[in-house]
Amino acid sequence: MAATESAAFARINDEVLQSLERPSLRYWALLGGLFSVFGLGVLAYAVQLMLGMGVANINHPVGWGVYIVNFVFWVGIAHSGTLISAILYLFRVRWRTGVYRAAEAMTVFAVMTAGLFPLVHLGRVWVFFWITPYPNFRHLWPNFKSPLVWDVVAVTTYFTVSSLFFYLGLIPDIAAVRDHATGFRRTVYRILSLGWQNRYEQWRHYARAYVGFACLATPLVISVHSVVSWDFAMSILPGWHTTIFAPYFVAGAIHSGLAMVITLLIPVRKVLKLDRLVTMQHFEGMAKMLVFTGLIMTYSYATEAFTSWYSASNFERAFSHWRAFGPYGIFFWLMVFCNCVAPMVFFSRRWRRSIPMLLIVSILVNVGMYLERFVLIVTSTAHDFLPSSWGLYAPSLVECTITIAAFGWFFFLFLLFAKHLPAVAISEMKEAAIQGKASQ
Amino acid sequence: MNISRRGFIASIAAGIGGIGAGTGYRNLIPFVIPANDITPGVATWYASTCRECPAGCGMLLRNREAHVVKAEGNPRSPVCSGKLCARGQASLLGLYDPDRIPWPRLRRKPDAPWLAVAQPEPKNPAAATGDGGWAQLYPVLGRTLAGARHIGFISDLQSGSMAELIRQWLTALSPRATADDYLVFEPLNYEPLRVANEKLFGRAEIPDYRLDRCDFLVSFGADFLETWLSPVQLSRRFTQMRAVKDGRRAGFIYVGSRRSPTAAMADKVILVPPGQEGLVALAMLHAMGEQVPAEYAPENVAKALSLNPKELQWLADQYRPARSPLALAGDPLPAGEEANANALAANLLNRFHPTEAIDWSRPHALSHTATMAQTQAFLNRAHAGEYDVIVILNANPVYALPPELKAKEALAKARTVICLNTMMDETVAAVGTWALPINAPAESWGDYSPAAGIHSLMQPAVGCYFQSRDAADVLLRLARAAGVSAPGWPAFPAEEPEGYSPSYEYLRSRWRKLQQAAGDTGDFEAFWRKSVQHGGLTLPAPPPPAALALGHIEVPKLPLAKPGGVRLALTPSLHFYDGRHANKMWLQEIPDPMTHAVWGSWVELAPQTATPLGVRTGDLVTVSAGAASVELPAHLRDDVAPGTAAIALGQGHNSYGRFAEKVGVNAFVLLGARGAPPEVRIARASGDGKHVVAHGEQDQHGREIALTVPVADAAHAEQEPLNLPTPAGYVKTRDIYAPHPHPLHRWAMAVDLDRCTGCNACVAACYSENNLTAVGKEEVARRHEMPWIRIDRWDEGYGANKRSIFQPLMCQQCEAAPCEPVCPAYATMHSAEGLNEQVYNRCIGTRYCSNNCPYKARRFNWFHYDVPEPLTYQLNPDVTVRDRGVMEKCTFCVQRIKEVTIRAKAEGRAVKDGDIVPACAQTCPADAFLFGDLNDPNSRLSRLVQEDRRRYQVLRELNTKPAVFYQKRIV
């Protein structure tokens, strides 16, 4: 028994750790490519910083453009990582084990990406810290009535907790990597593993801390995107000012986050040869979740339309109509297709287990969720109360470059992670292996 | 005598200025020891005269630290009564135009490069040193003039001492000269009106139109609220005329080829193709039973013009019983026989029907401008080589005359062409041999008489930035150099004191005569000081000349046939008049009220005309007449008579300055020597029209933004509910936040939609007062424009009953302002006086406030905007210049509020109602704005909010509690 167990453990160790072997030239080329894409964005931002916000096509009336779209999109992506690692952990959902590490990494990197955009968006970024409560001679505080201040608090809290949670879960695995590493890498991993010795009391503290973090992170999953939604819901614009926004945004965030996990895991699993650890069972679980969140999205869209009709407000009704049938109508209907219709294929077990279909639908959902944010943010400002101020918006070259660069930055970080940290949780896989045996 | 506070300050300041400005005014800052009339931080006001158009409004110029920063109307002026139009507000951009001629220049041949007269700097032959070369050029030009056989003189409309001086100067220097050798050239000379008046009243003059005495007005294409004759004066009178009495008011019908802003104020607009307005007048006369050929019966005219005959009959039925009706004949262009016939037909109404609204005692100065025939005769003489020297003062005939007249070739025949101008305009660039920079009106002594008996003074309100001189000084010094003089001219002292101005002495000598004319026998110095302080002198009107006996009256022959092709309607531009304001960036950037187009020209076409040609708004089209053609974007409006191509004049300069050149097209080229072409051809051209329209939609979509009330109900309609912007407006069940206390004041404003004519004066005043920036065509196209007040136009209805409501919209200073709670940095705050304040230094640029503003009244600084020197001199030192990345918006002119409240506090008294006037309210020719304190129950504003039946709040249902109350348009 013990022999087979240690053999199984060794297999898990080998399979995970083989992914961390010396990377190929192709890896470095890809990494360099992604960094260059990010660098282009830095360049574009430098242009904006030097000349002014006017290089972006945001205008009067559309004061918020793709920068805020990107922010909301990436915060949304950041969602499912903690959802999978914390909430599903507390609910003991088994398919979580194989995917949660990657999902958590994705969360941390997505928040790191999202966090850039409010800064990119600011007219005077050099005084961005005025939005934070810090002691100063003038006794000036930020305006706690402003949802933007809540946003800063929510996102920074979320970032702190999710990165600590991510790191905590990594400690035993880093120790495992350390034990197999040599030379300089060994030193680095030794420091990062914080002296993990696999001792009983260490495990006991670890388990306590892990549950504690999971409990702490769970409400954050709900709160952070609720707060982001209030950036809009607290305003008075038709299309923004609705009470459904908090749950609608949270569901949307989970929807997009799950889709992003699937999109990322499929290539990672293949490239890092983890298909025995990340199995179809995991994908199926996520696909079912996608169906569920897709239905919530459908319900939300329907509710939005219904409330705007039921309000009997001329502004609300005219706006909803314009959103669906105005110049941005194509985006609206694409959004409905991608977010509501496409995930429904996963009612079929055959499609749930088809890797190409999973990839296609998850990408569609990502596109759909990006469009949702665009439709939501841009149309409301473009078409508000006074027809004399109506206008349109399309991103400029600088905005597009920075948007694409964000993807470069995110994938750059993720690629770095995939080759230098265990992308699958070794210790939990081992635990699952025992539990799996025990339950059999 | 009733003296307003502002008038009092102005008079005091003008007085000090009048004394101080006589000598040494060439100093600019910095002052180590400041001059007596300059206290840092305190404005000095100089009374002057607006010379931007022939209307001649009195003006007060606000000088701060030796820079003129604001122009306002002079309340004592009988022309403007303290108001200015957009062009007057923008006059400072002409004063500080970076493209003014900096120093005297000359060139050997018309196509040679310009050289500085002064010793050229070795590295830059075009730059001048020292005094710019004036001392050197006088003897040279004096010899030229002394040797001249025959001199021709062209100027824009001058009256008063300058006109007298020019005539004397010409006689003295050119003994052969006759009155015809002085050409008073105004492209808009109102020739059709003058011809009609000569035929009907025996006077080739333009009378004073007293709209305030009129009870039924028909305008045949006269855009008297925009550019026509004296728009500020006529706007005020129009407002008086339209006052509601006993549920009725004087009617106003507009007959013309396009719905102009003036037409938008009419009860009814009858669209007819250009050149056929007169038919409507003839039909009216026929219906009224006058001696008009039967072919002009309403049925026939209605058929020819595709109108409803009942409409014409109705019009006549309105006109006939009126006590004092008035018909205004529109076309100000010398547009030929057809225009004359139309003006004659329209004026027949005035001839047949007695009216008190025409005052012949004060004919307008424009009556004395050259007719097209006189201009042609002058050019023919020039072409024949009769003039060996031509002096051109300000006038720009090369730009504004039909190419057929070959003005350029004719003027270039002269051996020497001396151009006295502030700008390198087309005429200077084409024919000038000397370009002598003259002072702008705000830098000069002078006077102008816009109508008989009204004498308005100009005084230097600022030192000269460029090496320019008073035009009259230049003329007198040239005459002296040529060795001639005339009786009454000042002698030159042997030792000239610094800053000696002979024209100043000349002006005073002329005003000595005016003192006698005014019956003032007192001390001249006291009279002079008072005149300078008041900005001029108004002599009592002479008794009106006796009416002519009604003799044989010729009825013009107007063809009854509907014209086949497309006809051209050339209109003076609201912003550029005849083109002289094209280099003013505010005027280029402020949207045209009817199209909202900016920075360019466009041709307005009816959809019926454009659609068959496959032309849509923004498409480039070619409009050609004979050999001349222009390429410009189309703008489709169902407000243009079918078969009409309407183009505004004034753009398309090829030499005038950086903001004017390569913008739009010069529509004067479509004119022929005999007036407007009978027909123009329109064809779709390839390429992008680059047509930029600044606003969104003009349909209210049922949103109740601009409301109307029938005239009968205006005085006793049920009041709209209000969400008051005071603690009284707080309702616990409705409001989240506690009410703001306003212990001292609660500033608020009312805007009367019935008065606003959409003339854009308030917008220009705001640009001037608050250091707003013009961002340029490309940026406006990207919706990055930055006015703090914009004029929304809302269209309702169709056809003749279509109505446009102009709605000036600025920050509403909401009590429950949506912008305030969303700012994370407290950059926008509610002040104790109710203002919604934007703290630029605290703004981090999230733009959330702008998103959340339902009025979209906030503007973001997308870039850092710089203006070239010396335009920076115009910046108001009381208002922060905003840097990029921050939000800005209307402040209710908080600097003006503070100025008054601080003074009241220092003097230990309460602020009086009416003491504070924001820039927009100050200049509004129609007096549509009322500013006041809601905390003062007796203020006019408080009473209006209490009692007025028309006041309401825009988007009240959002509970923003706006502090701007609108008064419904009366229909």
Side-chain angles (χ1 to χ4, degrees), chain B residues 738-760:
Chain B
H740 298 287
H742 301 304
L744 281 174
H745 308 286
R746 204 312 170 197
W747 307 118
M749 199 186 256
V751 183
D752 192 341
L753 298 185
D754 192 52
R755 289 188 169 201
C756 177
T757 66
C759 74
N760 281 337

PDB file of all heavy atoms in Angstrom, chain B residues 738-760:
ATOM      1  N   ALA B 738     -28.239  65.311   3.191  1.00  0.00           N
ATOM      2  CA  ALA B 738     -28.825  66.447   3.899  1.00  0.00           C
ATOM      3  C   ALA B 738     -28.743  67.684   3.011  1.00  0.00           C
ATOM      4  O   ALA B 738     -27.874  67.787   2.147  1.00  0.00           O
ATOM      5  CB  ALA B 738     -28.069  66.684   5.196  1.00  0.00           C
ATOM      6  N   PRO B 739     -29.641  68.635   3.195  1.00  0.00           N
ATOM      7  CA  PRO B 739     -29.593  69.841   2.349  1.00  0.00           C
ATOM      8  C   PRO B 739     -28.342  70.661   2.630  1.00  0.00           C
ATOM      9  O   PRO B 739     -27.798  70.633   3.728  1.00  0.00           O
ATOM     10  CB  PRO B 739     -30.856  70.605   2.756  1.00  0.00           C
ATOM     11  CG  PRO B 739     -31.185  70.116   4.114  1.00  0.00           C
ATOM     12  CD  PRO B 739     -30.731  68.692   4.180  1.00  0.00           C
ATOM     13  N   HIS B 740     -27.889  71.382   1.608  1.00  0.00           N
ATOM     14  CA  HIS B 740     -26.757  72.292   1.791  1.00  0.00           C
ATOM     15  C   HIS B 740     -27.259  73.589   2.397  1.00  0.00           C
ATOM     16  O   HIS B 740     -28.180  74.193   1.842  1.00  0.00           O
ATOM     17  CB  HIS B 740     -26.109  72.622   0.447  1.00  0.00           C
ATOM     18  CG  HIS B 740     -25.549  71.448  -0.269  1.00  0.00           C
ATOM     19  ND1 HIS B 740     -24.394  70.814   0.122  1.00  0.00           N
ATOM     20  CD2 HIS B 740     -25.975  70.786  -1.368  1.00  0.00           C
ATOM     21  CE1 HIS B 740     -24.138  69.821  -0.703  1.00  0.00           C
ATOM     22  NE2 HIS B 740     -25.078  69.773  -1.610  1.00  0.00           N
ATOM     23  N   PRO B 741     -26.663  74.031   3.470  1.00  0.00           N
ATOM     24  CA  PRO B 741     -27.072  75.341   3.983  1.00  0.00           C
ATOM     25  C   PRO B 741     -26.456  76.445   3.127  1.00  0.00           C
ATOM     26  O   PRO B 741     -25.325  76.320   2.655  1.00  0.00           O
ATOM     27  CB  PRO B 741     -26.495  75.360   5.404  1.00  0.00           C
ATOM     28  CG  PRO B 741     -25.361  74.399   5.373  1.00  0.00           C
ATOM     29  CD  PRO B 741     -25.625  73.403   4.285  1.00  0.00           C
ATOM     30  N   HIS B 742     -27.197  77.481   2.888  1.00  0.00           N
ATOM     31  CA  HIS B 742     -26.663  78.636   2.158  1.00  0.00           C
ATOM     32  C   HIS B 742     -26.881  79.864   3.018  1.00  0.00           C
ATOM     33  O   HIS B 742     -27.868  80.582   2.837  1.00  0.00           O
ATOM     34  CB  HIS B 742     -27.390  78.809   0.818  1.00  0.00           C
ATOM     35  CG  HIS B 742     -27.286  77.613  -0.065  1.00  0.00           C
ATOM     36  ND1 HIS B 742     -26.090  77.072  -0.442  1.00  0.00           N
ATOM     37  CD2 HIS B 742     -28.242  76.840  -0.634  1.00  0.00           C
ATOM     38  CE1 HIS B 742     -26.305  76.028  -1.205  1.00  0.00           C
ATOM     39  NE2 HIS B 742     -27.599  75.846  -1.332  1.00  0.00           N
ATOM     40  N   PRO B 743     -26.005  80.111   3.982  1.00  0.00           N
ATOM     41  CA  PRO B 743     -26.271  81.184   4.944  1.00  0.00           C
ATOM     42  C   PRO B 743     -26.367  82.570   4.303  1.00  0.00           C
ATOM     43  O   PRO B 743     -27.147  83.397   4.758  1.00  0.00           O
ATOM     44  CB  PRO B 743     -25.093  81.096   5.911  1.00  0.00           C
ATOM     45  CG  PRO B 743     -24.059  80.289   5.213  1.00  0.00           C
ATOM     46  CD  PRO B 743     -24.759  79.400   4.264  1.00  0.00           C
ATOM     47  N   LEU B 744     -25.558  82.809   3.248  1.00  0.00           N
ATOM     48  CA  LEU B 744     -25.555  84.169   2.697  1.00  0.00           C
ATOM     49  C   LEU B 744     -26.321  84.278   1.384  1.00  0.00           C
ATOM     50  O   LEU B 744     -27.286  85.020   1.277  1.00  0.00           O
ATOM     51  CB  LEU B 744     -24.112  84.637   2.482  1.00  0.00           C
ATOM     52  CG  LEU B 744     -23.391  85.118   3.738  1.00  0.00           C
ATOM     53  CD1 LEU B 744     -21.936  85.400   3.424  1.00  0.00           C
ATOM     54  CD2 LEU B 744     -24.070  86.362   4.294  1.00  0.00           C
ATOM     55  N   HIS B 745     -25.833  83.538   0.399  1.00  0.00           N
ATOM     56  CA  HIS B 745     -26.426  83.674  -0.933  1.00  0.00           C
ATOM     57  C   HIS B 745     -26.714  82.296  -1.511  1.00  0.00           C
ATOM     58  O   HIS B 745     -26.125  81.304  -1.105  1.00  0.00           O
ATOM     59  CB  HIS B 745     -25.462  84.383  -1.893  1.00  0.00           C
ATOM     60  CG  HIS B 745     -24.924  85.681  -1.374  1.00  0.00           C
ATOM     61  ND1 HIS B 745     -25.677  86.814  -1.312  1.00  0.00           N
ATOM     62  CD2 HIS B 745     -23.708  86.004  -0.889  1.00  0.00           C
ATOM     63  CE1 HIS B 745     -24.944  87.804  -0.810  1.00  0.00           C
ATOM     64  NE2 HIS B 745     -23.749  87.332  -0.541  1.00  0.00           N
ATOM     65  N   ARG B 746     -27.615  82.264  -2.464  1.00  0.00           N
ATOM     66  CA  ARG B 746     -27.788  81.080  -3.299  1.00  0.00           C
ATOM     67  C   ARG B 746     -27.948  81.610  -4.709  1.00  0.00           C
ATOM     68  O   ARG B 746     -29.020  82.062  -5.112  1.00  0.00           O
ATOM     69  CB  ARG B 746     -29.019  80.288  -2.864  1.00  0.00           C
ATOM     70  CG  ARG B 746     -29.015  78.791  -3.225  1.00  0.00           C
ATOM     71  CD  ARG B 746     -28.655  78.448  -4.615  1.00  0.00           C
ATOM     72  NE  ARG B 746     -28.444  76.995  -4.786  1.00  0.00           N
ATOM     73  CZ  ARG B 746     -27.811  76.480  -5.831  1.00  0.00           C
ATOM     74  NH1 ARG B 746     -27.305  77.265  -6.761  1.00  0.00           N
ATOM     75  NH2 ARG B 746     -27.675  75.188  -5.960  1.00  0.00           N
ATOM     76  N   TRP B 747     -26.841  81.560  -5.461  1.00  0.00           N
ATOM     77  CA  TRP B 747     -26.879  82.140  -6.796  1.00  0.00           C
ATOM     78  C   TRP B 747     -27.669  81.252  -7.732  1.00  0.00           C
ATOM     79  O   TRP B 747     -27.610  80.027  -7.642  1.00  0.00           O
ATOM     80  CB  TRP B 747     -25.450  82.341  -7.339  1.00  0.00           C
ATOM     81  CG  TRP B 747     -24.589  83.115  -6.401  1.00  0.00           C
ATOM     82  CD1 TRP B 747     -23.456  82.684  -5.794  1.00  0.00           C
ATOM     83  CD2 TRP B 747     -24.787  84.460  -5.944  1.00  0.00           C
ATOM     84  NE1 TRP B 747     -22.922  83.655  -4.990  1.00  0.00           N
ATOM     85  CE2 TRP B 747     -23.729  84.762  -5.058  1.00  0.00           C
ATOM     86  CE3 TRP B 747     -25.752  85.424  -6.178  1.00  0.00           C
ATOM     87  CZ2 TRP B 747     -23.613  85.990  -4.420  1.00  0.00           C
ATOM     88  CZ3 TRP B 747     -25.636  86.652  -5.545  1.00  0.00           C
ATOM     89  CH2 TRP B 747     -24.580  86.927  -4.675  1.00  0.00           C
ATOM     90  N   ALA B 748     -28.376  81.873  -8.611  1.00  0.00           N
ATOM     91  CA  ALA B 748     -29.173  81.120  -9.575  1.00  0.00           C
ATOM     92  C   ALA B 748     -29.387  81.991 -10.805  1.00  0.00           C
ATOM     93  O   ALA B 748     -29.031  83.175 -10.809  1.00  0.00           O
ATOM     94  CB  ALA B 748     -30.517  80.719  -8.971  1.00  0.00           C
ATOM     95  N   MET B 749     -29.944  81.402 -11.811  1.00  0.00           N
ATOM     96  CA  MET B 749     -30.090  82.112 -13.070  1.00  0.00           C
ATOM     97  C   MET B 749     -31.403  81.717 -13.730  1.00  0.00           C
ATOM     98  O   MET B 749     -31.917  80.630 -13.482  1.00  0.00           O
ATOM     99  CB  MET B 749     -28.912  81.744 -13.980  1.00  0.00           C
ATOM    100  CG  MET B 749     -28.680  82.719 -15.101  1.00  0.00           C
ATOM    101  SD  MET B 749     -27.412  82.119 -16.183  1.00  0.00           S
ATOM    102  CE  MET B 749     -26.044  83.129 -15.718  1.00  0.00           C
ATOM    103  N   ALA B 750     -31.910  82.615 -14.526  1.00  0.00           N
ATOM    104  CA  ALA B 750     -33.071  82.279 -15.344  1.00  0.00           C
ATOM    105  C   ALA B 750     -32.727  82.591 -16.795  1.00  0.00           C
ATOM    106  O   ALA B 750     -32.031  83.568 -17.077  1.00  0.00           O
ATOM    107  CB  ALA B 750     -34.290  83.088 -14.913  1.00  0.00           C
ATOM    108  N   VAL B 751     -33.167  81.740 -17.686  1.00  0.00           N
ATOM    109  CA  VAL B 751     -32.916  81.928 -19.110  1.00  0.00           C
ATOM    110  C   VAL B 751     -34.254  81.905 -19.825  1.00  0.00           C
ATOM    111  O   VAL B 751     -35.015  80.947 -19.709  1.00  0.00           O
ATOM    112  CB  VAL B 751     -32.001  80.818 -19.668  1.00  0.00           C
ATOM    113  CG1 VAL B 751     -31.701  81.084 -21.126  1.00  0.00           C
ATOM    114  CG2 VAL B 751     -30.727  80.702 -18.865  1.00  0.00           C
ATOM    115  N   ASP B 752     -34.522  82.972 -20.551  1.00  0.00           N
ATOM    116  CA  ASP B 752     -35.797  83.091 -21.230  1.00  0.00           C
ATOM    117  C   ASP B 752     -35.685  82.520 -22.643  1.00  0.00           C
ATOM    118  O   ASP B 752     -35.034  83.104 -23.506  1.00  0.00           O
ATOM    119  CB  ASP B 752     -36.217  84.568 -21.279  1.00  0.00           C
ATOM    120  CG  ASP B 752     -37.666  84.724 -21.707  1.00  0.00           C
ATOM    121  OD1 ASP B 752     -38.204  83.761 -22.286  1.00  0.00           O
ATOM    122  OD2 ASP B 752     -38.246  85.794 -21.460  1.00  0.00           O
ATOM    123  N   LEU B 753     -36.288  81.366 -22.850  1.00  0.00           N
ATOM    124  CA  LEU B 753     -36.209  80.731 -24.169  1.00  0.00           C
ATOM    125  C   LEU B 753     -36.974  81.532 -25.208  1.00  0.00           C
ATOM    126  O   LEU B 753     -36.781  81.350 -26.410  1.00  0.00           O
ATOM    127  CB  LEU B 753     -36.769  79.313 -24.112  1.00  0.00           C
ATOM    128  CG  LEU B 753     -36.028  78.351 -23.187  1.00  0.00           C
ATOM    129  CD1 LEU B 753     -36.616  76.967 -23.321  1.00  0.00           C
ATOM    130  CD2 LEU B 753     -34.552  78.329 -23.507  1.00  0.00           C
ATOM    131  N   ASP B 754     -37.854  82.398 -24.751  1.00  0.00           N
ATOM    132  CA  ASP B 754     -38.602  83.193 -25.716  1.00  0.00           C
ATOM    133  C   ASP B 754     -37.750  84.322 -26.271  1.00  0.00           C
ATOM    134  O   ASP B 754     -38.042  84.869 -27.323  1.00  0.00           O
ATOM    135  CB  ASP B 754     -39.854  83.775 -25.058  1.00  0.00           C
ATOM    136  CG  ASP B 754     -40.777  84.350 -26.104  1.00  0.00           C
ATOM    137  OD1 ASP B 754     -41.087  83.616 -27.055  1.00  0.00           O
ATOM    138  OD2 ASP B 754     -41.146  85.525 -25.987  1.00  0.00           O
ATOM    139  N   ARG B 755     -36.705  84.695 -25.529  1.00  0.00           N
ATOM    140  CA  ARG B 755     -35.882  85.811 -25.986  1.00  0.00           C
ATOM    141  C   ARG B 755     -34.656  85.342 -26.750  1.00  0.00           C
ATOM    142  O   ARG B 755     -34.158  86.044 -27.621  1.00  0.00           O
ATOM    143  CB  ARG B 755     -35.425  86.629 -24.789  1.00  0.00           C
ATOM    144  CG  ARG B 755     -36.561  87.395 -24.166  1.00  0.00           C
ATOM    145  CD  ARG B 755     -36.040  88.335 -23.124  1.00  0.00           C
ATOM    146  NE  ARG B 755     -37.083  89.256 -22.693  1.00  0.00           N
ATOM    147  CZ  ARG B 755     -36.851  90.416 -22.112  1.00  0.00           C
ATOM    148  NH1 ARG B 755     -35.609  90.779 -21.886  1.00  0.00           N
ATOM    149  NH2 ARG B 755     -37.826  91.193 -21.749  1.00  0.00           N
ATOM    150  N   CYS B 756     -34.119  84.178 -26.384  1.00  0.00           N
ATOM    151  CA  CYS B 756     -32.847  83.750 -26.973  1.00  0.00           C
ATOM    152  C   CYS B 756     -32.994  83.611 -28.480  1.00  0.00           C
ATOM    153  O   CYS B 756     -33.872  82.917 -28.975  1.00  0.00           O
ATOM    154  CB  CYS B 756     -32.397  82.427 -26.381  1.00  0.00           C
ATOM    155  SG  CYS B 756     -30.878  81.836 -27.137  1.00  0.00           S
ATOM    156  N   THR B 757     -32.103  84.282 -29.197  1.00  0.00           N
ATOM    157  CA  THR B 757     -32.141  84.241 -30.651  1.00  0.00           C
ATOM    158  C   THR B 757     -31.042  83.353 -31.220  1.00  0.00           C
ATOM    159  O   THR B 757     -30.842  83.313 -32.429  1.00  0.00           O
ATOM    160  CB  THR B 757     -31.969  85.658 -31.241  1.00  0.00           C
ATOM    161  OG1 THR B 757     -30.647  86.099 -30.913  1.00  0.00           O
ATOM    162  CG2 THR B 757     -32.962  86.621 -30.660  1.00  0.00           C
ATOM    163  N   GLY B 758     -30.301  82.693 -30.358  1.00  0.00           N
ATOM    164  CA  GLY B 758     -29.248  81.794 -30.826  1.00  0.00           C
ATOM    165  C   GLY B 758     -28.079  82.510 -31.459  1.00  0.00           C
ATOM    166  O   GLY B 758     -27.370  81.947 -32.286  1.00  0.00           O
ATOM    167  N   CYS B 759     -27.828  83.771 -31.062  1.00  0.00           N
ATOM    168  CA  CYS B 759     -26.842  84.578 -31.779  1.00  0.00           C
ATOM    169  C   CYS B 759     -25.408  84.278 -31.370  1.00  0.00           C
ATOM    170  O   CYS B 759     -24.474  84.805 -31.962  1.00  0.00           O
ATOM    171  CB  CYS B 759     -27.124  86.056 -31.571  1.00  0.00           C
ATOM    172  SG  CYS B 759     -26.673  86.644 -29.932  1.00  0.00           S
ATOM    173  N   ASN B 760     -25.211  83.476 -30.341  1.00  0.00           N
ATOM    174  CA  ASN B 760     -23.876  83.044 -29.913  1.00  0.00           C
ATOM    175  C   ASN B 760     -23.068  84.130 -29.211  1.00  0.00           C
ATOM    176  O   ASN B 760     -21.891  83.917 -28.916  1.00  0.00           O
ATOM    177  CB  ASN B 760     -23.036  82.509 -31.085  1.00  0.00           C
ATOM    178  CG  ASN B 760     -23.419  81.091 -31.451  1.00  0.00           C
ATOM    179  OD1 ASN B 760     -23.971  80.375 -30.627  1.00  0.00           O
ATOM    180  ND2 ASN B 760     -23.132  80.689 -32.663  1.00  0.00           N
TER     181      ASN B 760
END
